[in-house]
Amino acid sequence: MKLLILSDIHGSSYYAKKIVEIEKQEKPDKIILLGDLYYHGPRNPLTEEYNPMEVSEILNSFKNKILAIRGNCDAEVDEMISEFEFQDNRIMNVNGKRVFFTHGHKFNIDKLPDEEFDIMIYGHFHTGFIKEKDGKIFANSGSLSLPKNNTKNSYLILEENKLILKDIDGNIIEEKILTK
């Protein structure tokens, strides 16, 4: 199974259109959205081409592939324009690994959930990375539209035995080989 994982679009139709290009290039089985899809949030500037309704139209075109996680900027009203459901967290068995998907504002590398996992993937901090800590792998997809800390606009690919952080042009930033 190949997963395209991205987060923190924050209403940017400019960057949501990039998802169409990325999906064509990567050909994922599923798209995992880690939250903060439409609203820019009170601490963030307006994103490039801020248009939440256009973002929802783009995302809805992938509704059969999307698994969505609710972010701290997502509200019930966001589900009204989305043709897919939001969950607080999701645990999936992916290629023999137990993967915990969350937004990152409640659970992250510094605040672990009670659930057992091999890999935790989240967004929220707008800073892409792949790290190992205490025998577990932690990855942040970064932000598609508002990267912070001198990082690039980015997303993650989880496939077979690899976790790959890429910039929006598909260039590999970081890669982790996953052992069985």
Side-chain angles (χ1 to χ4, degrees):
M1 177 182 291
K2 183 176 184 179
L3 302 177
L4 166 60
I5 306 157
L6 49 94
S7 186
D8 297 280
I9 303 165
H10 288 289
S12 171
S13 62
Y14 176 84
Y15 286 101
K17 290 172 192 165
K18 299 282 185 187
I19 298 169
V20 176
E21 298 168 22
I22 293 167
E23 194 275 340
K24 281 181 186 166
Q25 178 184 338
E26 299 287 354
K27 298 177 181 58
D29 297 301
K30 292 285 181 192
I31 299 171
I32 311 288
L33 301 175
L34 298 177
D36 289 0
L37 306 182
Y38 307 124
Y39 179 53
H40 63 88
R43 295 178 297 165
N44 295 315
L46 280 175
T47 55
E48 190 168 349
E49 295 180 22
Y50 182 71
N51 187 338
M53 284 304 293
E54 188 174 353
V55 172
S56 74
E57 290 167 14
I58 292 165
L59 296 179
N60 287 335
S61 74
F62 296 112
K63 67 184 175 190
N64 295 326
K65 281 189 168 189
I66 287 178
L67 300 173
I69 303 298
R70 185 177 295 105
N72 61 309
C73 291
D74 297 320
E76 284 183 31
V77 71
D78 297 329
E79 293 189 53
M80 297 171 95
I81 62 170
S82 302
E83 295 174 14
F84 47 86
E85 293 181 24
F86 288 70
Q87 292 183 294
D88 288 334
N89 307 297
R90 177 183 283 269
I91 295 178
M92 292 175 62
N93 287 315
V94 182
N95 305 327
K97 299 288 183 186
R98 190 165 165 85
V99 184
F100 184 82
F101 296 98
T102 189
H103 178 60
H105 64 299
K106 292 182 181 175
F107 301 114
N108 55 60
I109 195 169
D110 297 317
K111 189 172 180 191
L112 304 180
D114 291 332
E115 290 87 347
E116 285 295 316
F117 63 89
D118 300 303
I119 303 169
M120 177 187 282
I121 299 178
Y122 57 97
H124 182 63
F125 295 97
H126 299 217
T127 303
F129 64 79
I130 301 171
K131 296 179 181 178
E132 200 162 341
K133 180 180 176 185
D134 299 327
K136 298 184 185 301
I137 296 169
F138 297 86
N140 190 302
S141 60
S143 173
L144 205 61
S145 66
L146 293 169
K148 294 181 179 176
N149 302 320
N150 297 314
T151 59
K152 297 182 182 230
N153 306 68
S154 60
Y155 63 92
L156 287 164
I157 293 292
L158 177 57
E159 65 176 335
E160 300 304 318
N161 65 339
K162 287 190 267 185
L163 183 59
I164 308 163
L165 180 65
K166 294 185 174 186
D167 68 19
I168 57 171
D169 295 319
N171 300 307
I172 295 174
I173 299 169
E174 197 171 344
E175 184 174 349
K176 174 77 176 163
I177 302 298
L178 307 172
T179 56
K180 289 283 178 188

